[in-house]
Amino acid sequence: MRRGIVLRLIIALCCGVSLTSCDNVSQNATPPEAAIVDAADHDAFWLWAGVRPQPVLESAKTVYILDSELRRGDRLPTVLRPAIPAVGDTDIWIVVRVETLDWSEQVHASLQRRLRLWEQRNRLVGLQVDFDAATHGLDEYGAFLGDLRRRLPSRFRLGITGLMDWSANGDPAALAALSDSVDDIVIQTYQGRQTIPGYATYLKHLGRLDIPYRIGLVQHGQWAEPAGLRDDPDFRGYVVFLVNPR
């Protein structure tokens, strides 16, 4: 089956509601040279629950697919996909969106089962944890990720989403702990459907992360690439969060 058709099936199977905040964000302070994010200019995407098919997925090289959510108080993650598709030659990360770092042994076992199931049908790269860790809590998050890394089979990479404030104001020791455990980080530059104003001020500190990273953009948001970004050896490109038309 053609990859584009399969990716359409992926979206059709998505269900549930994202935990991502949809707060309204002012667009003031957006650089005047900013352009609208066109998904067709990119080849890596987040595919969240409820997103309708888009032709850009036919040429995707990497897709981060929301597989499950772990809400505070849940015993096990809620799987958001009734079936696992075969995507073909696309690099796939499965994403678990979480509200808590209090994971039982059952939670760890459940996610490892999901990884094995996805691996049977896809070129699975690894697991991405989507957790909005507060900057002052990065030391706790680093300890959690270190434990998770030890539990994951070595063939799987461990990725996370990240907040822009981490690199600007995070404790150096806590940032170093992240780099010891994490293979991939995607820095979110948006809330809901809008780019966060003043992102360039935060992103100029990304060198403090010392982790291979991508920049997460929202489809149809505004973006002007900061000067020198492509000169950073840790910069790996962009990931676009796909959204439905209004």
Side-chain angles (χ1 to χ4, degrees):
M1 185 179 294
R2 292 178 59 241
R3 182 171 65 188
I5 297 174
V6 173
L7 285 170
R8 284 181 172 82
L9 291 175
I10 294 175
I11 304 174
L13 290 170
C14 287
C15 61
V17 179
S18 165
L19 291 169
T20 303
S21 169
C22 292
D23 296 336
N24 290 325
V25 181
S26 170
Q27 293 192 27
N28 294 335
T30 299
E33 69 275 16
I36 300 300
V37 175
D38 185 350
D41 295 334
H42 302 276
D43 60 15
F45 304 98
W46 270 303
L47 190 57
W48 231 238
V51 178
R52 294 193 290 275
Q54 297 194 32
V56 293
L57 292 172
E58 296 183 14
S59 57
K61 293 182 179 179
T62 305
V63 183
Y64 297 77
I65 302 176
L66 179 63
D67 176 73
S68 53
E69 293 181 338
L70 180 66
R71 295 178 181 271
R72 191 171 289 106
D74 286 354
R75 293 181 60 253
L76 291 171
T78 299
V79 173
L80 301 178
R81 308 187 52 75
I84 295 175
V87 182
D89 59 353
T90 302
D91 286 345
I92 298 297
W93 292 76
I94 64 168
V95 184
V96 56
R97 171 69 177 143
V98 302
E99 288 183 339
T100 176
L101 301 181
D102 185 15
W103 289 21
S104 66
E105 293 298 325
Q106 290 76 18
V107 170
H108 284 285
S110 173
L111 287 175
Q112 298 234 14
R113 283 194 297 272
R114 295 300 293 174
L115 286 165
R116 292 193 295 271
L117 289 172
W118 276 89
E119 185 182 34
Q120 291 172 9
R121 298 176 59 82
N122 296 281
R123 191 166 73 195
L124 186 65
V125 174
L127 172 70
Q128 183 185 70
V129 178
D130 183 15
F131 176 69
D132 294 335
T135 303
H136 61 76
L138 283 178
D139 52 350
E140 177 185 358
Y141 193 31
F144 166 84
L145 291 169
D147 178 64
L148 180 58
R149 172 69 274 175
R150 288 187 289 273
R151 293 170 180 267
L152 282 179
S154 59
R155 65 184 182 278
F156 296 131
R157 299 173 67 192
L158 176 60
I160 58 173
T161 59
L163 305 181
M164 291 190 292
D165 187 61
W166 290 2
S167 61
N169 297 306
D171 176 73
L175 294 175
L178 291 181
S179 67
D180 289 340
S181 304
V182 173
D183 304 299
D184 176 88
I185 181 171
V186 186
I187 304 297
Q188 297 166 300
T189 63
Y190 59 90
Q191 283 183 302
R193 289 173 171 258
Q194 296 180 339
T195 304
I196 297 171
Y199 57 82
T201 301
Y202 288 96
L203 296 181
K204 68 182 180 180
H205 300 287
L206 283 173
R208 298 183 67 224
L209 286 175
D210 196 27
I211 306 170
Y213 67 88
R214 294 175 183 253
I215 300 294
L217 309 177
V218 63
Q219 187 178 20
H220 309 311
Q222 295 185 321
W223 177 254
E225 183 172 286
L229 180 63
R230 293 182 185 271
D231 296 329
D232 186 342
D234 285 328
F235 176 60
R236 299 293 190 267
Y238 295 101
V239 179
V240 176
F241 188 93
L242 298 176
V243 299
N244 289 324
R246 290 187 183 277

